Amino acid sequence: MMLRNLQSNFCFLLLLVSIQCLLVIVFGTDHYRRADFPPGFVFGAGTSAYQVEGAASEDGRTPSIWDTFAHAGFSGGANGDIACDLYHKYKEDVQLMVDTGLEAYRFSISWSRLIPGGRGPVNPKGLQFYNNYIDELISHGIQPHVTLFHILVSGHQIRLTSVVEFAIDFRKDFTAYAEVCFKEFGDRVMYWTTINEANIFAIGGYDNGITPPGRCSPPFGVYCSRGNSSTEPYIVVHNMLLAHSSAMKLYRRNYKSTQHGFVGFNIYGFWCVPYTNSGDDVNAAERANEFYTGWIMNPLIFGDYPSVMKKAAGTRIPTFSKYEAKLVKGSVDFIGLNHYTTASVKDRSSSIEKNTRDFGADIEADISLEALAADQYPVIPSGLYEFLEYLKEAYGNPPIYIQENGQKTRRNGTLNDAARINYLHAYIGSVLDAVRNGSDARGYSAWSFLDGLELLGGYGPSYGLYYVDLDDKELRRYPKLSAYWYANFLKGKSSITSAASK
């Protein structure tokens, strides 16, 4: 029944596209074209290794902390053992990228596939897979944008006696892993993102414990059995920044002059707005943006954490030595930005009075994140525009690649995802507005190319331009309406949206 419904939907996709074009003639005033973006601006889509690759125990790959987390039942009871089986179907998927007109494709390398156990010899079969994968993209004119760390640190590395010990070893291991990637793939890969969503990785994994590796302490986390929510998030981000800057120093010293690539760092970008116009709420929203964004951006641009964070966290936030500050400052060629929704913020200054505090209490604010749990995100494109303006004004307008932006729906088999079209149309338009106002945004990557495994929701939520039929042993891919919309836009036609967003 599912496959029959998919085939029926497929037959009227083009009709729906035609209908939407007519609707735009009547209702639309905000259309734009691919050519409206400046020369060099690149459009693509993305996935990450564990969400789509599958072959989790094939050809020498070892478990990562996400494998362990999923098999413990925390990813909606699902796991990435098979996922979309991109490991075996990558040529088919690259052809779909060509059909869609992608100019770039962002993906991550599975550290534990390339270097099982996180350190030691390179796995030749893992190396061969990523070489083949990159070559396939290049041969079809698609830029590979590679992320080195997307939660996939190995289980062996995380099983150390303290987070401090892990963090120090992580710097060394990550630099060695990065060097393998630069050396083996850097002749073809020009765009490297070292670490994905360091801010959310630290909060989810080391404060409230809801993401890998699941460390936390009462009363802040859930199901806490190990960890310290008051200190570990700060320690983890500190050492991720140092690991990144170590890899960047290596790249600039050994590879930049011959490979001419670019190395960046990714943040998860909530845009926080005040719940009311009161001075307290306005200040609280500014404080929240300093904590979520300035936590990463300030060290990378200025060499130290925001003063508001240092004042709130005190000795719980590590201090950069003079050498470390010099290493971290200026250690990015670009910033990767993942943005999905906007959060409203209320002041809660009383939280600072608690004897035991974590990152959330240090902000002294209530941040509304109900949109993250909804079946769909509200469409608030002003949030992305304002975020880009903030980065421009506060941090000297660094080059920005929007690496994840997309709409969540339920994975129910329908290919008519008009809500995703409305979302993409609005947010891409906001990027164009920001670029026209001077933002140095240089690329946009829709999340995601395929329906894959989601960290918390398993295969329940859907973000993909392409549906993957998990009930079909061939795991066939089917283009959704959004895939046609994106393809039409990338191939030069005027953007279209449905009347539902008007």
Side-chain angles (χ1 to χ4, degrees), residues 242 299 302-304 320-330:
L242 292 173
F302 305 124
D304 200 3
F320 290 109
S321 68
K322 288 183 179 180
Y323 169 78
E324 290 171 341
K326 184 178 180 180
L327 186 69
V328 172
K329 182 179 178 180

Side-chain angles (χ1 to χ4, degrees), residues 69 74 203-211 213-226 229 456:
F69 186 82
F74 295 116
I203 296 166
Y206 294 86
D207 189 344
N208 53 45
I210 62 171
T211 61
R215 293 177 67 96
C216 56
S217 61
F220 305 109
V222 294
Y223 310 116
C224 301
S225 61
R226 55 181 183 160
S229 296
L456 298 179

Side-chain angles (χ1 to χ4, degrees), residues 322-343:
K322 288 183 179 180
Y323 169 78
E324 290 171 341
K326 184 178 180 180
L327 186 69
V328 172
K329 182 179 178 180
S331 64
V332 286
D333 294 320
F334 65 87
I335 295 297
L337 174 61
N338 295 354
H339 175 83
Y340 291 92
T341 191
T342 296

Side-chain angles (χ1 to χ4, degrees), residues 184 200 232 255 296 374 396 465 499:
E184 299 292 345
I200 298 304
E232 289 189 0
Y255 299 99
I296 306 299
L465 300 172

